[in-house]
Amino acid sequence: MSELSVVEAGAEDGAPVPDSDENRRQVLYWRLLARLFDPEEQASLESASVAVVEDIGLPVALLDPAASVDSVVQRHPELAAEFDGLMTPEPDADGERDRAAEVRRAALASKVLLNVFSTGSGTVTAEQLARWQSDAGWLERALGCRPGDLRGGRGGAGRAGAGGGGGVSPTGTGVGTPAPDLSRLIPEIGPELGSIEAGLVQRMHLREVLADPALASRLTPSMSLIEQLLRDKNNLSGVALANAKALIRRYVDEVTEVLRTQVEKASVGELDRSVPPKRVFRNLDLDRTIWKNLTNWDPEEERLYVDRLYYRHTSRKTTPQRLIVVVDQSGSMVDSMVNCTILASIFAGLPKVDVHLIAYDTQALDLTPWAHDPFETLLRTQLGGGTDGTVAMALAQPKIAEPRNTVVVWISDFYEWRTDELFESMAAIHRSGAKFIPVGSVTSSGRGSVNPWFREKFKDLGTPVISGHIKKLVHELKTFLT
């Protein structure tokens, strides 16, 4: 339907006639919805959209489904800044809407939304997956996040840049309705992006891609890809296995850097003034030394004689602590398994922290000898299967030698079949004086369900389940261990 016919239809039925900018915006969003639900091109909407895009001075390549956002930005670099924060509108100072600017944002938003949410069907190549990951990164930037944040595994969301409005509502409630703030939907959009990416990875002939170094080099490691690699690692060999390990190592290194930064930013212990300061030059307190020796100033020689040096205290109060991390490695907990394995390795590098790592499904595996190396740990996990936490408890309980100096972190969705027996043993750990922290989700997106029976039981026990971003767990552990 052309712009003219839309206007005429409104005039005939007595409805208020939208202005030209609002009309253009409607055309772009109706085209977006049509293409999302039906890949076949609607000629009238396409021609009307081309006219709108050309009229507002944007490249027609924005309407090409085969063109990635990267390719559009490479040819038109001035558009990069417009994508940043595109869907996080900020109120205008005078309360007036710039309708022409909203049409421009609608065209850009339509491009990135269509590229991300219309993935077609059939086999996916490494190049197609890489393109989708790049487009998803542009959507995350448009929502005010860093690329990779919403899909999980790379840390918390942060503003990628300031920006104007945007939205996906084609009709609204009237001519004066502003575009909605999609940033409010981030809790829903993040898990959905992860789900789409997982579907694309499943549609790949991953083993064939890994066997070809040129194709494997195009893969960008992500949580969905790592999950597939970990599930299939026993079926890989030779070049394919080497490429899989390289991808896992890259992802582990990326996430480790993010989590290590979060750990370093968390609070640390108090200075221990009972320990004499170390008498080395880097600890010399020059200001205090001068102040304390001012009585030795010789005005005739204009010289300060120092009879005592003062040093800063750098030692902090710490006591040996034991951290026992128990991770459910069943199929529903892959994201948590990866994140917590990496987190355990970071804490294993802290002084006076004794880290033990246990993974379980229907069997338990003590991964403590490899706790310092998350890469080696993940290669020894066996994802999938059922869940029986009692087998992990049998390994964990003997490790609690000094309850007051022990923290037990148990990561699971807690869908167990021996619920009463497992919960009673967990309650016993809590009553012994050890700190017991049940964790239901430690992903970046926060998606995950926890058995409501366990959730209520932990709440009554006074140890509520931690769910949400991994930063919450970092804060809890750093507070206890330092």
Side-chain angles (χ1 to χ4, degrees), residues 25-191:
R25 181 171 167 270
Q26 300 284 346
V27 167
L28 292 171
Y29 281 138
W30 277 120
R31 174 190 176 270
L32 168 63
L33 288 179
R35 295 300 295 260
L36 284 174
F37 290 102
D38 185 356
E40 291 299 320
E41 188 177 287
Q42 301 293 321
S44 59
L45 283 174
E46 292 297 324
S47 60
S49 298
V50 169
V52 170
V53 168
E54 289 180 335
D55 189 48
I56 60 177
L58 286 174
V60 178
L62 285 173
L63 301 178
D64 181 4
S68 66
V69 178
D70 264 345
S71 65
V72 174
V73 170
Q74 285 172 1
R75 283 178 282 177
H76 306 275
E78 71 278 2
L79 295 180
E82 293 191 59
F83 279 107
D84 282 339
L86 178 68
M87 300 176 188
T88 56
E90 296 177 358
D92 295 329
D94 56 6
E96 293 293 324
R97 294 167 54 208
D98 186 343
R99 290 182 173 85
E102 286 186 2
V103 177
R104 191 176 181 90
R105 288 196 293 268
L108 296 171
S110 296
K111 174 59 179 175
V112 70
L113 289 170
L114 187 60
N115 277 28
V116 171
F117 290 102
S118 180
T119 58
S121 59
T123 303
V124 174
T125 66
E127 185 175 358
Q128 288 173 323
L129 177 62
R131 172 191 145 170
W132 183 90
Q133 290 173 328
S134 173
D135 287 336
W138 282 105
L139 175 59
E140 289 165 319
R141 289 175 61 171
L143 290 168
C145 304
R146 291 182 295 269
D149 279 353
L150 299 186
R151 286 167 283 161
R154 286 179 172 80
R159 290 298 301 271
V168 292
S169 171
T171 56
T173 56
V175 174
T177 303
D181 180 359
L182 287 191
S183 62
R184 299 174 185 174
L185 301 178
I186 283 178
E188 289 76 28
I189 293 176

Side-chain angles (χ1 to χ4, degrees), residues 421-478:
E421 180 181 348
L422 179 60
F423 177 76
E424 183 51 41
S425 59
M426 292 174 170
I429 291 176
H430 175 69
R431 289 192 296 265
S432 73
K435 185 173 181 62
F436 185 84
I437 304 177
V439 181
S441 174
V442 286
T443 68
S444 291
S445 64
R447 169 179 278 184
S449 64
V450 174
N451 186 332
W453 185 89
F454 268 94
R455 186 183 289 278
E456 288 302 314
K457 285 288 188 179
F458 286 133
K459 186 177 179 181
D460 294 340
L461 188 65
T463 58
V465 175
I466 293 178
S467 291
H469 201 279
I470 196 169
K471 284 184 178 180
K472 294 181 181 179
L473 180 57
V474 169
H475 177 75
E476 286 285 329
L477 292 178
K478 197 66 183 291

Side-chain angles (χ1 to χ4, degrees), residues 5 8 46 62 86 120 129 144 146 155 163 165 181 197 225 247 262 280 295 311 314 353 399 418 439 448 463:
S5 60
E8 290 175 345
E46 292 297 324
L62 285 173
L86 178 68
L129 177 62
R146 291 182 295 269
D181 180 359
E197 185 174 30
L225 182 59
L247 286 166
Q262 294 176 6
V280 294
T295 56
Y311 296 87
T314 55
V353 178
K399 294 177 178 289
R418 287 197 275 190
V439 181
T463 58

